[in-house]
Amino acid sequence: MSSKTNVIEILVNDDIFSKSDASSLAHLMSHVVEERFEAGDKIYQTGALAENFYLLLDGKVTLITPQGREFDLVHGRFGEETASDSEHYLTSAVAKSAVTVLSIPREAMMTLIASTPMLKTDFLFSLTSHLSGEKLERHVKVVPIDDTTKHNPVHIFGWLSTLIAPILVLKFGHNLALEHNAVMFLAIFSSTIAMWMFNLVDDYIPGIFALTAAFITGLVPAPVILSGFASDGFLMALSTLALGAVVVSSGLSYRLMLTLLMRLPNTQFWQFVGLFMTGTVLTPIIPTANGRIALVTPFFADMVESLHFKKQGVAATRLAIACFGGISLFSAMILTSKSVNYAIYGLLSPQDQDHFQWMTWLMASMVAAVILIVINGLGIMFLFRSKELPVLPKERVADQLALLGKLNSREWAAIIGVLFMFLGIVTSSIHKVSPPWLGFAMMFGLLLCGTLHKKELKERVDWTFLLYLCGITGIIAAFNYLGLDNILGTMLPGLGDYMRQNFKLFILILFFVISVLRLAVPLNATIVILGTLLMPLAAASGINAWVMGFIILIFCDGWFFPYQCTYYLQLQEVNRETPLYNEKSFLLFNVLLNFARLVAVYASLPYWKILGLL
């Protein structure tokens, strides 16, 4: 290459190459070669393998189409086919005079495109410019870089809290009569909670930080702090997320959504009810809210698109509420909806365990369920009125279903996977295999049969959520191992007195205590700790232990910030790249539902008295 040729200057000043970062251009430079062609030389011809991209330094080059039409270069680039999916040149390039070019091989261009995908479209416009005779450019909306985090007072306060909280815990923690390891873990935990509360980083990072810090410092044994990776919750979440990936990628979810829309009346009300009931039907079948949301979320996204609802509009937000409410609103009412429900079940006396089986549990919580449905429905009716009309010609839906044709092999595999899970869970009392291991077997069956592809497992399964879930589980295990659950219990001795003297006031106090605890203590830990403390006290106070356990479950299902709810984080992922629903309105409605839970408990008191539970 001639010493006079300044490749850096050429690349940096080119209006397309300059969009790439310096590191990518530095890698590209090692492949750039200077070449010369004489007048009349054919640099490449139509149909030849597109092996090199060219930058014209001097001279004149003409492009010739297969029909013989000639076009002069509009700019100094040609051979853009090497930066596209086309394997062959679409035109011929002929030197009209002696020319000097920089040649870049296809492999180097593909590497550049991989690092900066937007260049692929720019090079397409570049090629089109020659054939149109004028320079064509795409107009990209310039989005200013969001640097508000630097100056956001909330984030600044959050980072200060993250740094100061562990210092305060280390200084004053020993006043709580805690062991050294417990104080150290509380210091780590305080930083973790601060990062979650102020949304300083992605939700899974604080949990990984807590696990790593506890592991490195040796505060708890490795099997305890890493127990999340071997927990039933992890196995169940992984298997249902994998099944959800197959349901979506096979096209089964879209087919089911079209079938649902075909059968339902073409109104917002019935579409809302249909999506809500889909999640509700799955509640007793899939014993984890994370698994249910993984299966129902694709329905929501497809319905917003098919009905042509305005993105982040009222109608789309109503559908998001239906999606989330269907899978979560009745979690406390159905014994098999969550594994932590069995923790409360296990704290009942043998007589109560015999009594509160699946149907009896549901019947005892029926009033609360009805109240939540009514408040949920009225809240949506008054707060989310929408005049949007669903754009859904039934004829078009029928044509879409006809176009899909018969169920393909991957759809059948997805159906078999769902049926396997359903039948396995229903018959678990017979074969004695726990649902998480059934799910794990189902996932490996899909992998072995080639139904679940390796790429899908890597890209479609939300591994960051799984890391978050493992972090939460490990923190709970460390919490219990260090005896912090017992310490927390000693801080709540007055609740028992209120329970005996004024149960209605006790319910209100418990609601606010749980709301505060849930800001820092994970869901399952809060349920287990309060259940262990309060259910025996309830039994001693003439209140059925099931009532106390149910109240704890329904109150703990409430949350105010996204980090408090793992399954909401999954729904939130749909809203990140292309927002579908108005998150602010969704979260405000969720606050209303939190207080609706309190109303549901108070409304259930007369019913529980009739049943002899109070």
Side-chain angles (χ1 to χ4, degrees):
M1 186 180 298
S2 170
S3 60
K4 294 181 180 180
T5 304
N6 190 336
V7 179
I8 297 177
E9 184 177 344
I10 293 170
L11 295 177
V12 170
N13 290 331
D14 184 89
D15 54 359
I16 294 181
F17 284 99
S18 60
K19 295 179 181 179
S20 190
D21 59 78
S23 175
S24 298
L25 292 180
H27 282 83
L28 184 74
M29 281 184 60
S30 64
H31 300 280
V32 178
V33 177
E34 185 176 313
E35 296 185 39
R36 285 191 62 81
F37 295 92
E38 300 302 324
D41 286 350
K42 194 170 273 191
I43 302 173
Y44 57 77
Q45 63 182 10
T46 304
L49 287 175
E51 296 179 336
N52 293 292
F53 179 95
Y54 297 97
L55 284 167
L56 183 64
L57 298 181
D58 58 61
K60 184 177 181 182
V61 174
T62 298
L63 300 181
I64 304 175
T65 68
Q67 288 77 29
R69 298 176 61 191
E70 296 188 3
F71 297 90
D72 293 331
L73 296 184
V74 175
H75 46 67
R77 296 179 298 271
F78 61 102
E80 291 95 340
E81 293 91 336
T82 58
S84 72
D85 295 328
S86 175
E87 295 183 358
H88 302 87
Y89 290 115
L90 304 178
T91 64
S92 298
V94 178
K96 288 300 184 181
S97 65
V99 299
T100 305
V101 297
L102 293 179
S103 173
I104 307 173
R106 183 185 186 93
E107 293 79 8
M109 291 299 295
M110 288 291 102
T111 302
L112 181 70
I113 295 296
S115 65
T116 316
M118 63 175 292
L119 299 187
K120 192 172 187 177
T121 303
D122 290 326
F123 283 124
L124 173 63
F125 275 81
S126 175
L127 174 61
T128 308
S129 296
H130 300 311
L131 305 181
S132 67
E134 58 181 297
K135 188 175 181 180
L136 302 176
E137 295 180 302
R138 69 170 170 165
H139 297 281
V140 181
K141 182 179 179 181
V142 178
V143 180
I145 297 175
D146 184 10
D147 60 350
T148 55
T149 301
K150 295 180 182 178
H151 310 291
N152 189 334
V154 175
H155 280 82
I156 293 173
F157 181 76
W159 282 116
L160 287 174
S161 300
T162 302
L163 296 173
I164 295 173
I167 296 174
L168 295 176
V169 171
L170 290 173
K171 183 171 180 60
F172 299 107
H174 294 285
N175 295 338
L176 299 173
L178 297 176
E179 295 182 357
H180 175 73
N181 283 2
V183 174
M184 289 289 292
F185 184 78
L186 273 184
I188 295 169
F189 187 55
S190 65
S191 284
T192 304
I193 292 300
M195 284 188 275
W196 271 328
M197 288 187 67
F198 294 99
N199 198 24
L200 301 178
V201 290
D202 289 340
D203 293 293
Y204 71 95
I205 293 178
I208 296 299
F209 159 77
L211 297 191
T212 305
F215 182 75
I216 292 174
T217 53
L219 298 178
V220 292
V224 174
I225 197 65
L226 300 178
S227 60
F229 293 93
S231 65
D232 287 350
F234 175 78
L235 294 180
M236 197 67 192
L238 173 59
S239 56
T240 49
L241 287 173
L243 178 60
V246 175
V247 168
V248 174
S249 63
S250 67
L252 179 63
S253 67
Y254 192 67
R255 183 190 295 272
L256 292 175
M257 185 273 301
L258 289 176
T259 304
L260 181 68
L261 293 179
M262 189 69 183
R263 299 288 185 268
L264 291 173
N266 194 15
T267 64
Q268 281 193 39
F269 172 78
W270 284 109
Q271 288 149 4
F272 175 93
V273 171
L275 187 58
F276 182 87
M277 290 306 299
T278 301
T280 302
V281 169
L282 289 175
T283 299
I285 300 172
I286 305 296
T288 164
N290 302 112
R292 296 193 293 273
I293 200 72
L295 295 176
V296 179
T297 297
F299 282 61
F300 159 66
D302 287 340
M303 285 182 74
V304 172
E305 179 184 352
S306 296
L307 296 171
H308 298 280
F309 284 147
K310 179 183 177 183
K311 302 293 176 63
Q312 300 187 75
V314 175
T317 305
R318 284 178 59 163
L319 274 184
I321 292 170
C323 173
F324 188 79
I327 66 99
S328 64
L329 205 60
F330 307 120
S331 291
M333 292 76 176
I334 299 173
L335 176 60
T336 56
S337 68
K338 290 192 302 183
S339 58
V340 75
N341 288 5
Y342 286 101
I344 293 297
Y345 179 80
L347 293 172
L348 297 174
S349 66
Q351 295 82 2
D352 282 339
Q353 288 184 5
D354 290 337
H355 179 69
F356 287 100
Q357 296 294 323
W358 197 95
M359 186 57 67
T360 312
W361 185 298
L362 178 62
M363 291 302 298
S365 59
M366 189 56 67
V367 170
V370 171
I371 294 298
L372 285 180
I373 290 177
V374 170
I375 294 178
N376 186 69
L378 291 176
I380 290 172
M381 185 186 302
F382 289 105
L383 300 178
F384 293 93
R385 292 181 178 177
S386 173
K387 296 182 179 180
E388 284 187 72
L389 296 176
V391 183
L392 186 71
K394 295 284 186 176
E395 297 79 8
R396 189 194 70 191
V397 177
D399 290 341
Q400 288 176 289
L401 286 170
L403 183 62
L404 291 177
K406 296 181 179 179
L407 291 165
N408 59 45
S409 58
R410 297 193 73 221
E411 288 178 292
W412 276 115
I415 292 173
I416 292 171
V418 173
L419 290 176
F420 177 82
M421 288 290 294
F422 170 68
L423 295 175
I425 292 169
V426 169
T427 60
S428 59
S429 60
I430 300 173
H431 53 68
K432 306 300 181 183
V433 180
S434 64
W437 286 104
L438 289 172
F440 208 49
M442 176 272 300
M443 184 187 72
F444 270 94
L446 295 175
L447 283 169
L448 291 173
C449 295
T451 305
L452 176 60
H453 302 148
K454 181 173 67 175
K455 185 176 181 181
E456 288 177 343
L457 185 64
K458 181 174 68 175
E459 296 179 359
R460 289 183 176 267
V461 172
D462 190 352
W463 291 98
T464 59
F465 162 73
L466 291 172
L467 288 174
Y468 172 83
L469 187 63
C470 290
I472 288 288
T473 306
I475 289 172
I476 294 172
F479 208 81
N480 297 335
Y481 178 84
L482 294 169
L484 292 172
D485 53 343
N486 296 326
I487 299 297
L488 180 61
T490 62
M491 297 179 181
L492 305 171
L495 286 179
D497 296 334
Y498 283 109
M499 187 192 305
R500 287 185 289 270
Q501 297 169 9
N502 191 334
F503 189 59
K504 292 182 179 179
L505 178 60
F506 165 80
I507 291 173
L508 183 63
I509 295 172
L510 182 62
F511 174 80
F512 285 105
V513 167
I514 289 177
S515 298
V516 173
L517 280 178
R518 287 281 288 111
L519 293 175
V521 184
L523 172 66
N524 289 358
T526 305
I527 291 173
V528 172
I529 291 169
L530 292 179
T532 304
L533 290 172
L534 299 179
M535 288 174 68
L537 285 176
S541 303
I543 299 166
N544 191 282
W546 178 89
V547 170
M548 182 54 56
F550 176 78
I551 292 174
I552 292 170
L553 286 173
I554 195 171
F555 285 171
C556 285
D557 274 343
W559 53 276
F560 293 91
F561 301 101
Y563 78 89
Q564 296 176 280
C565 183
T566 58
Y567 41 96
Y568 175 71
L569 294 177
Q570 289 177 265
L571 178 64
Q572 194 182 45
E573 282 299 315
V574 177
N575 231 35
R576 290 198 185 278
E577 293 187 8
T578 305
L580 297 179
Y581 64 91
N582 187 308
E583 187 170 21
K584 182 178 179 181
S585 298
F586 184 103
L587 294 177
L588 288 174
F589 185 77
N590 180 67
V591 173
L592 170 66
L593 285 184
N594 290 342
F595 289 98
R597 299 175 193 279
L598 181 62
V599 174
V601 169
Y602 277 118
S604 299
L605 294 180
Y607 178 62
W608 288 335
K609 285 184 179 180
I610 294 173
L611 296 178
L613 300 177
L614 292 178

